Amino acid sequence: MEIRFQFYLLFAVDDMVEIYKGPLDVKDIISRWLDECDGRNWGAFIPFIGIVRQEDGIEALSFDIYEPILLKWFQEWQDKAQKKGAIVKMAHSLGDVPIFTSSYIAAVMSPKRRVALELIDEFVEDFKANAPIWKYDVIDGKRIYAQTRSTAMDGAGLMSKKD
Amino acid sequence: MEIRFQFYLLFAVDDMVEIYKGPLDVKDIISRWLDECDGRNWGAFIPFIGIVRQEDGIEALSFDIYEPILLKWFQEWQDKAQKKGAIVKMAHSLGDVPIFTSSYIAAVMSPKRRVALELIDEFVEDFKANAPIWKYDVIDGKRIYAQTRSTAMDGAGLMSKKD
Amino acid sequence: MVKIEFLGPIGKESIELDVKNLKDVAKELNKDENISIWLEKSAVALNDMIVNSLDIELKDGDKISILPPVCGG
Amino acid sequence: MVKIEFLGPIGKESIELDVKNLKDVAKELNKDENISIWLEKSAVALNDMIVNSLDIELKDGDKISILPPVCGG
């Protein structure tokens, strides 16, 4: 990907979760994560790279993140991965991410192929369903909550009148 | 991964299959494939990177490839991917690949996350079972067929006496 | 006093309530229609841990977060 | 004449046989114990297409490949 943006790392936790302001520098992130693999005897490394698609006239996506719960959610996955001898990593954007740039990278490193393939699938799907991140379409400079594409988290509705 | 080897591309077919003599230059390959994603409106890019593990006293793995059938096998997968709006790519090593270096990269690019996650799993598993590639352990400079880790291809046994 | 945070698109400033348990929080929040429409699809966290029951006593300084539907990636 | 190639670890030079169909090839190859032990776990390709039946007539210049168990990656 041609680099047309500056990349800002906001924070990284234990080299596992990286949050950036704006789009991700995919090549730099993948390259560093590959360096971490070196000599560690992983047999499989699978990154999932999410790229903002041009659709419905959007110029960008935009994200809010609630870090404290994101980090707890991530730590549970790290523990789950560790029991299988693997590790997980992730990078995500905060704020605006223009079309054709990346907002999300998840990755698994594992000694075994099967473990890695199953883990990346479960990790990415649970991320979509339960990581405390909110997505907005940016159209004509306005930020519109992506309501129809959003998923109620596990346990949602606890405080609803209906209960 | 620190570059300690020279990388030799032997041939590439339609920018889809790349065969190298010796280990793969993972960063270069991923970087080029990412460039190919740029502006193409893919939403998900998933590479699977296979790295040679240090185990059982091996110093390297070594590979034979029968290209004509590999390319046919690959083309069938490309057709299957295309029906789902996706594409697949692969790079593989021929000859010796030292421990801690990469011998295999498979990748899927897709508009959709679910398609990409399912396709990378099926593609890598079928690759293991049916791509005409033979693996050898290299121990003390000797090449020993990895018989117990090898899988009979679909349709194997056709010429067996027992039939 | 406990603090209630409304995350993401709810777009409402935090409030403080003088309540003793989560049920009371639910009762109070349901009084405001602009909040109650979010509650049926929102998860609830107490001090940054997602909770699955309202039968929880609260103490001074507790933080409750309301998490509307998510979509990372 | 048809050409028989032995791929990967079989480690045997190609041979040529004067045969009319795949069944005859199977019969010939099974005479050599060093080859027959591979056959029960090997796939067979005719002109680089995997075949699933021995009921196939051969013509002059055809190429048959014997593919032992694989392990890429």
Side-chain angles (χ1 to χ4, degrees):
Chain A
M1 206 167 295
E2 189 194 339
I3 297 177
R4 294 160 297 185
F5 303 93
Q6 290 219 305
F7 300 102
Y8 300 94
L9 178 63
L10 293 178
F11 69 88
V13 179
D14 293 339
D15 292 330
M16 297 293 175
V17 178
E18 301 174 10
I19 304 293
Y20 293 82
K21 179 154 171 46
L24 305 181
D25 186 346
V26 179
K27 287 181 187 178
D28 175 72
I29 292 168
I30 297 293
S31 174
R32 277 191 291 102
W33 293 359
L34 277 166
D35 287 342
E36 286 175 32
C37 287
D38 202 25
R40 294 276 298 278
N41 222 20
W42 301 118
F45 171 52
I46 311 180
F48 173 102
I49 297 151
I51 301 162
V52 178
R53 299 189 69 214
Q54 178 178 46
E55 56 187 350
D56 306 326
I58 66 164
E59 59 224 35
L61 292 177
S62 191
F63 298 91
D64 290 339
I65 299 180
Y66 187 59
E67 284 101 3
I69 292 181
L70 177 66
L71 297 180
K72 285 200 169 104
W73 171 86
F74 181 82
Q75 191 57 53
E76 282 174 27
W77 271 98
Q78 196 62 277
D79 296 345
K80 204 182 281 193
Q82 205 161 31
K83 281 183 194 131
K84 299 178 178 183
I87 65 168
V88 289
K89 298 184 68 88
M90 69 165 281
H92 203 283
S93 299
L94 188 69
D96 290 5
V97 184
I99 52 170
F100 302 143
T101 66
S102 173
S103 54
Y104 172 49
I105 309 179
V108 174
M109 299 173 190
S110 159
K112 303 274 181 199
R113 171 181 95 255
R114 260 327 307 152
V115 166
L117 285 165
E118 284 163 21
L119 209 46
I120 192 70
D121 191 322
E122 295 162 15
F123 181 52
V124 167
E125 289 300 323
D126 191 56
F127 170 82
K128 279 277 170 188
N130 285 305
I133 300 181
W134 295 276
K135 180 181 284 176
Y136 305 81
D137 290 331
V138 180
I139 300 177
D140 295 332
K142 273 183 223 129
R143 215 168 175 244
I144 302 149
Y145 175 48
Q147 186 160 16
T148 57
R149 280 125 71 205
S150 299
T151 310
M153 295 169 74
D154 289 347
L158 186 67
M159 283 194 175
S160 177
K161 261 191 281 205
K162 291 170 192 161
D163 293 33
Chain B
M1 209 166 293
E2 189 194 338
I3 296 176
R4 293 159 298 186
F5 303 93
Q6 290 219 304
F7 300 102
Y8 300 94
L9 178 64
L10 293 177
F11 69 88
V13 179
D14 292 341
D15 292 329
M16 297 293 175
V17 178
E18 302 175 10
I19 304 292
Y20 293 83
K21 180 155 169 42
L24 305 181
D25 186 347
V26 179
K27 287 182 187 178
D28 175 71
I29 293 168
I30 297 291
S31 174
R32 276 191 292 102
W33 292 0
L34 276 166
D35 287 341
E36 286 176 31
C37 287
D38 201 26
R40 294 277 299 277
N41 222 20
W42 300 120
F45 171 51
I46 311 181
F48 173 102
I49 298 150
I51 302 162
V52 178
R53 299 190 68 214
Q54 177 177 47
E55 57 187 348
D56 306 326
I58 66 164
E59 59 223 36
L61 292 177
S62 191
F63 299 91
D64 290 340
I65 299 179
Y66 186 59
E67 284 99 3
I69 291 182
L70 176 66
L71 297 180
K72 286 200 169 105
W73 171 88
F74 181 83
Q75 191 56 54
E76 282 175 26
W77 271 99
Q78 196 62 276
D79 296 345
K80 204 182 282 193
Q82 205 161 31
K83 281 183 194 132
K84 300 177 179 187
I87 65 167
V88 289
K89 298 183 67 89
M90 70 165 280
H92 203 284
S93 299
L94 188 68
D96 290 4
V97 184
I99 53 170
F100 303 142
T101 67
S102 173
S103 54
Y104 172 50
I105 308 179
V108 174
M109 299 173 190
S110 159
K112 303 274 182 199
R113 171 180 94 256
R114 261 323 312 149
V115 166
L117 285 165
E118 283 163 21
L119 208 47
I120 192 69
D121 190 324
E122 294 162 15
F123 181 51
V124 167
E125 288 301 322
D126 191 56
F127 170 82
K128 279 277 168 188
N130 285 305
I133 299 183
W134 296 275
K135 179 181 284 176
Y136 305 81
D137 291 330
V138 180
I139 300 176
D140 295 332
K142 271 182 225 130
R143 216 169 175 245
I144 302 150
Y145 175 48
Q147 185 160 17
T148 57
R149 280 127 69 205
S150 298
T151 310
M153 295 168 74
D154 290 348
L158 185 68
M159 283 195 175
S160 177
K161 262 191 281 204
K162 291 169 192 162
D163 293 34
Chain C
M1 297 290 273
V2 301
K3 189 181 178 188
I4 325 287
E5 284 183 339
F6 303 95
L7 298 176
I10 302 180
K12 189 178 154 58
E13 288 298 304
S14 301
I15 59 173
E16 297 221 320
L17 291 176
D18 187 10
V19 287
K20 293 205 174 133
N21 59 55
L22 270 183
K23 264 197 195 105
D24 295 342
V25 176
K27 206 178 289 173
E28 282 301 313
L29 296 184
N30 272 297
K31 288 179 183 167
D32 182 342
E33 267 201 12
N34 292 325
I35 297 176
S36 70
I37 53 161
W38 288 100
L39 292 181
E40 61 189 77
K41 48 195 173 183
S42 291
V44 177
L46 171 59
N47 300 327
D48 296 331
M49 296 288 287
I50 302 285
V51 291
N52 288 296
S53 165
L54 292 180
D55 293 326
I56 295 175
E57 300 300 303
L58 299 175
K59 60 182 193 304
D60 196 44
D62 277 347
K63 179 178 73 171
I64 290 149
S65 311
I66 308 299
L67 299 103
V70 297
C71 187
Chain D
M1 296 291 271
V2 302
K3 188 181 178 188
I4 326 286
E5 284 184 340
F6 304 94
L7 297 176
I10 301 179
K12 189 178 154 58
E13 288 297 305
S14 300
I15 59 174
E16 298 221 321
L17 291 175
D18 188 10
V19 287
K20 292 203 175 140
N21 60 53
L22 269 183
K23 263 197 195 107
D24 294 342
V25 176
K27 205 178 289 175
E28 281 303 313
L29 296 184
N30 272 297
K31 287 178 183 167
D32 182 342
E33 268 203 12
N34 292 325
I35 296 175
S36 70
I37 53 160
W38 287 100
L39 293 181
E40 59 188 79
K41 47 195 173 182
S42 291
V44 177
L46 172 59
N47 300 326
D48 297 331
M49 296 289 286
I50 302 286
V51 291
N52 288 297
S53 164
L54 292 180
D55 292 327
I56 296 175
E57 299 300 303
L58 299 174
K59 58 181 194 304
D60 196 45
D62 276 347
K63 179 178 72 171
I64 291 148
S65 310
I66 307 299
L67 298 103
V70 296
C71 186

